[in-house]
């Protein structure tokens, strides 16, 4: 039982936790800046980015793909800005134009290029493969202290850990900047904060988080973790720091409950197979939101 | 190559594109384009559940009607969830849409994984609804799509004035007895219907594109709603027709993506080339206006003997032959400055003394007043200036 | 503030040949004016006349098409820490999850740097500012629970902790109750008596003479600027607002 957990659930849970917490922390600021759908947009444009990186470099190595996806995310933000500013198109419509077009381009490139030998398809991009991230070297708790066994942990873990460290570090260092541009852009600008630069920084961090997460868990979890835990937390408190802390808590809860539920939900029906863990995590986060939307102490604005 | 099946696909894609263009325009007018994203992602859960339920009962879970009913039900639930969150919590519509689309879609993904586990026959191909798949399209499917699309367009045409008034001025609309609820109901459920109908052709992820892109592209070509609706229908239909035809000829090119990329091409062309609000014309106008303002400001400084601080202003004055490289003013420069000063004085008199409403009307100081006012208006301004000079002297 | 001392020193703020455009439509054009040291100045003009735009151009938020702006004889970014700008109350989301004291504390952010600790001295400043605007009892409230007038007081308190020499306020009296208006004027006059300079976008002609000693009339370009005693005339009001308002001034 314990060995089973360490071998099959430990790594997915850890990876899921790092991803969910990273996305949720950033999601608080996107939510407050009324840019919740930026995560939707980013997670769609990641596909053409990695496909293009694959077509150009001919390999499915991690770094080219992450760079490709990051570039695609920033490009999409630039396109949206141009369409809104020059074309005077509704921002949400402009966003819809850009991310659907780029996603379509990604699908087309994927179908036209020869990707049979690599792990790259649309389904994978959508739901990821959290279940496949197993730790074969695990034999009991002692493995957690055994460097040889630890080396056998899926390499995705180290990647999401690095991104988690980067994002939490950046949030701590630039906390005041993010708060200022989220609350009062005009005051921020007059006080010498480069609003454009800081908001691009926030979006870049989101893109990095989405790209790192996407390979392991797929884009649905990414969107769900960016939006649901912060939204849930917002309905329970009127303090920013509490909101961020609660969002981390809800993100973690979604991952743990989601992974456990995915393994056991079909047991009563006589099946021992797991359902999609990524999907289950997102569903749990949605259930948490639904609960706080109905019962949350601060679900309504005061005025 | 271009057989019977291809004709079916091309004709349904065309009809679908046109009706999505019409519907999308009204959605755009209600500033709710991305609502379609929540609606379309919510269909997956119902689709999978309907398949599961009907198959478990021994029926044909893959029948288009079954799947359409299932997706309609879950999309309705998704729509209701978005509306609940927007109306009953402090969350904005962006957050509500994000929450609903990710959660409902995730539920669909869980259901799909359940279907994979259960021993149900004929489960292949359900994922075709993600990105659209027309391989097995039947004549009856095409008829269904066409009939539903036409009904939709007719409904929109019947209520077009109500939707227009509500979008432009909701409060006025209510005083006119136009129900906000009813028009919003029509727009939202119209979107839902297009989404569900379009699932099998372009798939749930890309149907959003057909609802948003043609109408956004059409916005570049007119300011009149009727024209925008027709243009959006043409753009949508064209995308469907060209996209479906191309994908019939090119092996491995998925229909949905090609259709979306055709519409994206139309959008980019509109964005760049639109004569009213296109990129090219905007940049030209901006440069022209900057040039004119610098010129006018420079000449005023010359006329009033104030120093010119800006390099760009000096350069522009030099290029017009008003300033010598050493900074001294030429004879034509003096003349032009006097003309500019007179122009400015006339505008000031007009905006401050003559014009009936002083607020928010452009005192277009950098434009030639002769082009904007009638000769008798100009004469009355000059009489005023003359009297003022007399009394000052 | 007498006429004499204000002409002795060079102006605190000098705007020269300013024009600003959104896309290709100029909003303000040929704006020239000076604000003397120690003045309490009103920027007056009809809606859409470019009052806020001019103020934003002064604090470098709004890119300018032409023109030069000197503050204390320097460009804005060199004297940023001597200037406090109070945006329009309506420009922010008051549903934001912060408390009154959090917002006021934002006034010291620029001096704290990235990771500088918030010290008791900073909190003392915040509390003092809240006391000056009469909001001591509200420090721990969520900002969404405040009335319009109270929100404006919070913004003013945030400006006070910045300890500036020049205060630029965009519509500080818009949508506030009478008591708040009085309280704000008192704080501003107090600042003026300490030698600070104040510029406020204002729209109520009836209170100009009571509150201000300097005035800038603007309607897309400058109509007149100078001391209230000399320039606040019917002719200038007419010129700024057109003939319609002229008759209203007679009623006043």
């Amino acid at each position: 039982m314990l060995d089973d957990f360490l071998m099959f659930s430990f790594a997915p849970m850890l990876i899921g936790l790092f991803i969910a917490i990273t996305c949720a922390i950033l999601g608080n600021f996107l939510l407050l800046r009324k840019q919740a759908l930026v995560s939707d947009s980013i997670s769609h444009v990641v596909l053409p980015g990695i496909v293009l990186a694959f077509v150009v470099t001919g390999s499915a190595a991690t770094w080219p793909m992450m760079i490709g996806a990051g570039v695609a995310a920033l490009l999409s933000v630039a396109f949206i800005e141009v369409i809104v500013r020059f074309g005077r198109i509704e921002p949400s419509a402009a966003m819809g134009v850009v991310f659907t077009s780029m996603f379509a381009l990604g699908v087309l490139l994927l179908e036209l290029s020869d990707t049979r030998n690599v792990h790259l398809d649309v389904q994978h991009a959508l739901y990821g493969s959290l279940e496949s991230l197993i730790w074969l070297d695990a034999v009991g708790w002692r493995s957690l202290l055994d460097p040889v066994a630890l080396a056998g942990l899926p390499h995705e873990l180290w990647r999401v850990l690095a991104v988690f460290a980067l994002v939490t570090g950046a949030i701590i260092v630039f906390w005041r900047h993010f708060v200022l541009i989220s609350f009062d852009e005009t005051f921020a600008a007059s006080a010498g904060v480069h609003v454009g630069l800081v908001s691009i920084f926030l979006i870049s961090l989101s893109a990095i988080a989405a790209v790192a997460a996407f390979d392991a868990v797929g884009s649905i979890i990414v969107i769900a973790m960016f939006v649901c835990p912060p939204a849930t937390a917002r309905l329970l408190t009127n303090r920013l720091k509490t909101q961020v802390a609660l969002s981390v808590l809800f993100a973690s809860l979604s991952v743990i409950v989601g992974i456990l539920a995915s393994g056991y939900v079909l047991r009563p029906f006589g099946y021992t197979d797991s359902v999609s863990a990524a999907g289950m995590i997102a569903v749990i986060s949605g259930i948490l939101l639904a609960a706080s939307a109905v019962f949350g102490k601060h679900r309504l604005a005061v005025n | 190559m271009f057989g019977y099946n291809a004709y079916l696909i091309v004709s349904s894609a065309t009809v679908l594109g046109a009706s999505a263009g019409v519907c999308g325009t009204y959605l755009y007018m209600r500033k709710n384009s991305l609502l379609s994203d929540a609606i379309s992602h919510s269909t997956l859960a119902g689709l999978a559940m309907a398949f599961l339920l009907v198959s478990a009962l021994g029926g044909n879970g893959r029948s288009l009607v079954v799947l359409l009913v299932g997706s309609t039900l879950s999309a309705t639930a998704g729509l209701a969830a978005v509306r609940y969150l927007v109306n009953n919590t402090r969350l904005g519509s962006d957050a509500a849409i994000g929450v609903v689309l990710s959660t409902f879609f995730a539920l669909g993904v869980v259901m799909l994984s359940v279907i994979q586990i259960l021993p149900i026959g004929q489960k292949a191909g359900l994922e075709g609804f993600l990105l659209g798949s027309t391989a097995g399209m039947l004549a009856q499917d095409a008829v269904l799509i066409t009939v539903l699309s036409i009904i939709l367009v007719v409904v929109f045409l019947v209520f077009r004035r109500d939707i227009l008034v509500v979008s432009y001025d909701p409060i006025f609309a209510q005083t006119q007895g136009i129900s906000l609820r009813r028009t919003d109901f029509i727009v939202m459920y119209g979107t839902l219907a297009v989404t569900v109908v379009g699932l099998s052709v372009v798939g749930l992820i890309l149907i959003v594109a057909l609802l948003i892109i043609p109408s956004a592209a059409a916005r570049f070509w007119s300011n009149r709603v009727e024209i925008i609706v027709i243009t959006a229908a043409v753009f949508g239909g064209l995308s469907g027709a060209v996209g479906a035809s191309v994908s019939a000829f090119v092996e491995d090119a998925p229909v949905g993506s090609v259709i979306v990329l055709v519409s994206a091409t139309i959008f980019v062309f509109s964005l760049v080339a639109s004569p009213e609000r296109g990129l090219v014309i905007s940049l030209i106008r901006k440069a022209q206006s900057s040039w004119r303002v610098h010129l006018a400001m420079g000449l005023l400084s010359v006329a009033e003997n104030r120093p010119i601080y800006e390099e760009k202003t000096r350069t522009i004055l030099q290029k017009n032959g008003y300033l010598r490289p050493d900074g001294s003013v030429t004879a034509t420069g003096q003349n032009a400055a006097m003309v500019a000063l007179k122009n400015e004085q006339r505008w000031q008199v007009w905006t401050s003394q003559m014009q009936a409403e002083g607020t928010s009307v452009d005192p277009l100081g950098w434009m030639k007043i002769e082009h904007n006012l009638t000769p008798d208006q100009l004469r009355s301004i000059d009489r005023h200036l003359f009297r003022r000079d007399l009394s000052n002297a | 503030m007498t006429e004499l001392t204000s002409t002795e020193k060079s102006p605190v703020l000098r705007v020269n040949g300013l024009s600003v455009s959104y896309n290709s439509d100029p909003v303000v054009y040929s704006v020239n004016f000076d604000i003397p040291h120690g003045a309490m100045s009103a920027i007056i003009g009809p809606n859409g006349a470019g009052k806020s735009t001019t103020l934003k151009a002064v604090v470098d938020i709004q890119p300018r098409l032409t023109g030069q702006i000197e503050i204390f004889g320097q460009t804005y970014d060199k004297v940023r820490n001597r200037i406090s700008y109070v945006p329009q109350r309506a420009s922010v989301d008051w549903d934001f999850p912060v408390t009154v004291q959090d917002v006021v504390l934002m006034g010291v952010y620029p001096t704290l740097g990235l990771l500088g600790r918030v010290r008791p001295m900073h909190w003392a400043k915040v509390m003092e500012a809240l006391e000056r605007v009469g909001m001591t009892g509200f420090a721990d409230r969520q900002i969404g629970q405040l009335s319009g007038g109270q929100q404006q007081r919070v913004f003013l308190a945030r400006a006070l902790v910045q300890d500036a020499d020049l205060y630029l306020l965009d519509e500080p009296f818009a949508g506030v109750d009478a008591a708040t208006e009085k309280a704000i004027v008192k704080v501003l006059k107090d600042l003026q008596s300490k030698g600070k300079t104040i510029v406020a976008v204002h729209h109520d002609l009836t209170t100009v003479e009571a509150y201000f000693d300097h005035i800038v009339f603007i309607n897309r370009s400058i109509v007149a600027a100078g001391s209230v005693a000399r320039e606040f005339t019917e002719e200038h009001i007419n010129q700024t607002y057109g003939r319609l308002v002229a008759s209203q001034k007679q009623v006043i």
Side-chain angles (χ1 to χ4, degrees):
Chain A
M1 188 66 195
L2 178 69
D3 283 356
D4 267 11
F5 171 80
L6 277 181
M7 201 180 284
F8 297 112
S9 298
F10 178 70
M13 209 173 261
L14 218 53
I15 289 170
L17 280 172
F18 283 132
I19 289 171
I21 294 172
T22 307
C23 294
I25 291 175
L26 291 166
N28 282 291
F29 291 99
L30 294 180
L31 180 81
L32 293 172
R33 285 174 60 73
K34 303 192 171 26
Q35 291 182 324
L37 288 172
V38 163
S39 58
D40 182 26
S41 181
I42 288 176
S43 56
H44 279 89
V45 302
V46 158
L47 182 73
I50 55 170
V51 179
L52 216 56
F54 172 74
V55 171
V56 172
T57 64
S59 86
T62 303
W63 289 111
M65 289 200 170
M66 286 194 69
I67 291 167
V71 169
L74 290 181
L75 262 184
S76 72
V77 173
F79 287 151
I80 292 168
E81 189 65 26
V82 166
I83 294 173
V84 170
R85 193 164 291 178
F86 289 98
R88 281 169 283 156
I89 293 290
E90 235 357 82
S92 66
M95 192 185 267
V97 169
V98 171
F99 81 72
T100 55
S101 301
M102 289 178 72
F103 187 78
L105 185 68
V107 173
L108 185 70
L109 281 174
L110 196 58
E111 296 296 328
L112 294 182
S113 59
D114 184 18
T115 51
R116 271 166 302 190
N117 304 324
V118 291
H119 195 41
L120 200 65
D121 60 61
V122 175
Q123 268 84 14
H124 174 70
L126 289 172
Y127 348 124
S129 51
L130 203 49
E131 296 84 350
S132 70
L133 303 170
I134 48 178
W135 187 18
L136 287 173
D137 306 276
V139 280
W141 289 114
R142 270 169 294 118
S143 305
L144 284 176
L145 299 171
D146 175 6
V148 182
L150 284 175
L153 277 165
H155 65 275
E156 280 88 349
L157 179 61
W158 309 120
R159 192 193 311 159
V160 298
L161 184 62
V163 171
F164 167 78
L166 170 73
V167 168
T168 40
I171 290 283
I172 291 170
V173 174
F174 295 101
W175 174 266
R176 286 173 193 145
H177 286 79
F178 288 137
V179 171
L180 270 185
I181 66 156
S182 305
F183 174 61
D184 192 345
E185 281 193 1
T186 14
F187 175 76
S190 78
V193 174
H194 198 305
V195 176
L197 220 56
V198 178
S199 64
I200 287 177
F201 182 48
L202 177 63
I203 288 173
S204 306
L205 286 176
S206 307
I208 291 169
V211 173
F214 150 93
D215 187 33
V217 300
S219 51
I220 356 162
I221 278 213
V222 175
I223 306 173
M225 287 304 122
F226 265 111
V227 188
C228 293
T232 311
R234 180 68 193 93
L235 303 180
L236 296 172
T237 178
N238 272 327
R239 300 281 192 278
L240 184 54
K241 281 181 180 159
T242 318
Q243 180 188 320
V244 173
L246 283 176
S247 73
V248 169
L249 174 74
F250 292 131
S252 314
L253 207 61
S254 306
V255 171
I256 294 168
V257 177
I259 288 182
L260 293 178
S262 73
Y264 293 96
V265 75
L266 285 183
R267 294 278 166 97
F269 303 96
Y271 296 93
T272 51
D273 313 65
S274 293
V275 301
S276 161
M280 211 63 194
I281 293 172
V283 169
I284 301 292
S285 74
I287 292 172
L288 289 173
L289 175 94
S292 87
V294 176
F295 304 111
K297 190 176 160 213
H298 297 287
R299 65 182 183 279
L300 288 172
V302 187
N303 296 324
Chain B
M1 280 284 281
F2 215 80
Y4 175 65
N5 194 252
Y7 279 113
L8 276 185
I9 296 169
V10 171
S11 60
S12 358
T14 310
V15 175
L16 177 72
S19 70
V22 172
C23 177
T25 306
Y26 291 108
L27 197 62
Y28 180 87
M29 279 174 12
R30 298 293 292 126
K31 298 191 170 63
N32 229 338
S33 291
L34 281 176
L35 187 65
S36 57
D37 206 21
I39 292 175
S40 67
H41 281 77
S42 327
T43 57
L44 186 65
L47 205 74
M49 284 197 224
F51 174 84
L52 206 57
L53 198 68
V54 173
S55 303
L57 296 173
N60 175 15
R62 289 212 53 201
S63 124
L64 189 59
V65 177
V66 168
L67 297 177
L68 290 193
V69 170
S71 49
T72 305
L73 288 177
S74 68
T76 309
L79 193 53
V82 172
R83 298 189 64 159
Y84 176 85
L85 291 175
V86 171
N87 293 332
N88 298 298
T89 74
R90 71 198 323 161
L91 297 179
S93 71
D94 61 328
I97 288 171
V99 163
V100 168
L101 85 84
S102 59
T103 311
F104 275 67
F105 189 70
L107 187 62
V109 170
V110 171
M111 287 298 154
L112 284 182
S113 70
V114 172
I115 291 171
Q116 289 303 321
I117 293 166
L118 301 185
I120 300 172
Q122 271 203 312
K123 57 190 162 199
L126 210 54
E127 290 174 344
F129 284 94
L130 286 178
L131 297 172
S133 127
T134 42
M137 193 183 228
L138 304 173
Q140 64 200 59
D141 297 347
V143 170
L144 185 66
I145 290 171
T146 309
V147 170
L148 284 175
S149 298
I150 290 171
I151 293 175
L152 258 173
V153 170
V154 170
V155 170
F156 273 113
L157 290 184
V158 169
F159 289 98
R160 66 184 190 281
R161 294 213 177 85
D162 288 7
I163 305 172
L164 175 63
V165 176
V166 167
S167 313
Y168 182 65
D169 188 349
I171 293 168
F172 172 76
Q174 279 168 314
T175 65
Q176 297 296 299
I178 298 171
S179 160
L180 261 179
R181 286 175 72 102
R182 192 181 63 196
T183 41
D184 271 350
F185 181 89
I186 291 165
V187 174
M188 286 177 194
Y189 284 87
T191 309
L192 194 151
V194 171
T195 308
V196 169
V197 171
L199 281 184
S200 57
V201 181
V202 294
L204 65 87
I205 298 175
L206 292 176
I207 183 69
V208 181
L210 269 191
L211 281 160
I212 296 179
I213 301 177
S215 49
R219 188 67 194 84
F220 284 106
W221 297 98
S222 175
N223 286 321
R224 285 182 52 207
V225 179
E226 301 88 335
I227 311 277
I228 296 175
V229 171
I230 294 167
T231 315
V234 171
F235 284 170
L238 198 67
S239 310
V242 175
S245 309
V246 168
S247 89
F249 283 110
V250 181
E251 207 185 343
D252 283 343
V255 180
S257 307
V258 181
I259 292 177
V260 174
L261 289 174
V262 173
S263 73
T265 311
I266 296 175
F267 179 87
V268 171
F269 175 73
S270 307
L271 172 68
V272 173
S274 153
E276 269 300 313
R277 38 169 53 189
L279 216 53
V280 174
I281 195 74
S282 298
L283 292 175
I284 292 175
R285 279 209 197 113
K286 201 169 174 174
Q288 280 177 340
S289 137
S290 158
W291 176 280
R292 274 202 304 263
V293 172
H294 273 286
L295 188 61
M297 300 278 293
L299 286 174
L300 277 183
S301 301
V302 169
E304 290 165 357
N305 245 329
R306 282 184 285 119
I308 301 169
Y309 291 101
E310 257 144 307
E311 192 52 48
K312 190 173 172 192
T313 312
R314 273 198 294 272
T315 317
I316 288 172
L317 287 178
Q318 275 182 32
K319 279 189 182 153
N320 277 285
Y322 297 151
L323 221 56
R324 293 190 197 90
D326 63 4
S328 60
V329 184
T330 63
T332 50
Q334 286 295 357
N335 277 337
M338 286 305 117
V339 171
L341 183 65
K342 170 94 190 235
N343 190 56
E344 177 73 10
Q345 286 171 338
R346 281 167 143 188
W347 272 120
Q348 268 177 9
V349 170
W350 170 251
T351 47
S352 61
Q353 310 284 332
M354 311 251 158
Q355 195 175 292
E357 287 188 8
T359 53
S360 305
V361 179
D362 284 0
L364 303 162
W366 51 90
M367 288 190 175
K368 286 204 171 69
I369 196 166
E370 296 91 328
H371 294 175
N372 293 281
L373 297 180
T374 60
D376 58 311
Q377 287 175 322
L378 284 176
R379 275 196 300 278
S380 99
I381 291 173
D382 288 344
R383 273 197 301 277
H384 187 94
L385 272 174
F386 182 66
R387 276 199 303 274
R388 197 175 75 183
D389 290 347
L390 266 185
S391 68
N392 283 350
Chain C
M1 195 88 250
T2 59
E3 282 298 305
L4 203 72
T5 47
S6 66
T7 44
E8 270 172 7
K9 296 184 179 177
S10 62
V12 167
L13 171 63
R14 164 162 280 176
V15 176
N16 228 322
L18 173 73
S19 65
V20 176
S21 73
Y22 292 134
N23 291 321
S24 57
D25 314 319
V27 189
V28 296
Y29 163 75
S30 190
V31 169
N32 307 288
F33 66 90
D34 289 349
I35 305 280
H37 179 84
M40 178 138 157
S41 179
I43 299 185
I44 288 270
N47 291 329
K51 305 184 292 287
S52 299
T53 306
T54 305
L55 213 54
K56 282 183 182 160
V58 169
V59 292
D60 243 3
I61 300 174
Q62 179 67 53
R64 4 183 235 275
L65 186 55
T66 65
Q68 236 210 6
I69 291 167
E70 265 179 27
I71 310 174
F72 302 114
Q74 311 257 12
T75 55
Y76 177 73
D77 52 318
K78 293 220 177 80
V79 288
R80 173 172 282 138
N81 54 8
R82 296 180 64 190
I83 299 159
S84 169
Y85 166 70
V86 181
Q88 281 183 21
R89 187 166 54 84
S91 69
V92 309
D93 172 18
W94 289 92
D95 195 31
F96 203 83
V98 288
T99 58
V100 166
Q101 54 189 355
D102 294 335
V103 174
V104 179
L105 187 68
M106 288 178 195
V108 299
Y109 277 9
T111 56
L112 284 179
L114 278 183
L115 288 166
R117 284 244 328 271
V118 179
R119 297 177 187 284
M121 149 193 122
H122 298 120
W123 283 117
K125 260 187 171 181
V126 168
M127 289 308 150
E128 192 218 320
L130 280 175
E131 198 189 323
R132 282 167 77 183
V133 300
M135 292 280 289
T136 309
F138 291 79
D140 209 28
R141 296 274 179 98
Q142 202 251 333
I143 53 169
Q145 298 168 346
L146 305 179
S147 76
Q150 291 164 345
Q151 291 174 350
Q152 192 63 57
R153 292 178 197 224
V154 173
F155 262 20
L156 185 58
R158 180 177 68 181
L160 290 177
V161 301
Q162 287 184 289
D163 252 344
D165 293 322
L166 170 63
Y167 290 83
L168 303 161
L169 302 94
D170 199 347
E171 302 263 10
F173 303 118
V176 306
D177 54 282
T180 298
E181 184 158 330
K182 254 191 186 159
I184 294 175
V185 170
K186 188 170 166 289
V187 172
L188 294 181
K189 295 234 169 180
D190 191 40
L191 286 172
Q192 189 190 16
S193 72
K194 289 177 186 157
K196 317 282 189 183
T197 308
I198 292 139
V199 181
V201 169
H202 192 52
H203 57 213
D204 183 4
L205 290 172
T206 59
T207 52
V208 167
E209 282 156 309
Y211 297 168
F212 298 95
D213 54 30
H214 184 270
I215 191 162
V216 177
F217 285 104
I218 185 168
N219 189 357
R220 312 303 288 276
S221 57
I222 292 298
V223 175
S227 75
V228 167
R230 212 169 30 213
E231 306 291 339
F232 190 61
T233 62
E234 208 165 309
E235 195 196 345
H236 287 153
I237 294 171
N238 288 351
Q239 284 181 21
T240 311
Y241 285 88
R243 290 183 306 173
L244 281 185
V245 182
S247 46
Q248 287 170 16
K249 166 80 177 160
Q250 309 249 296
V251 178
I252 297 159

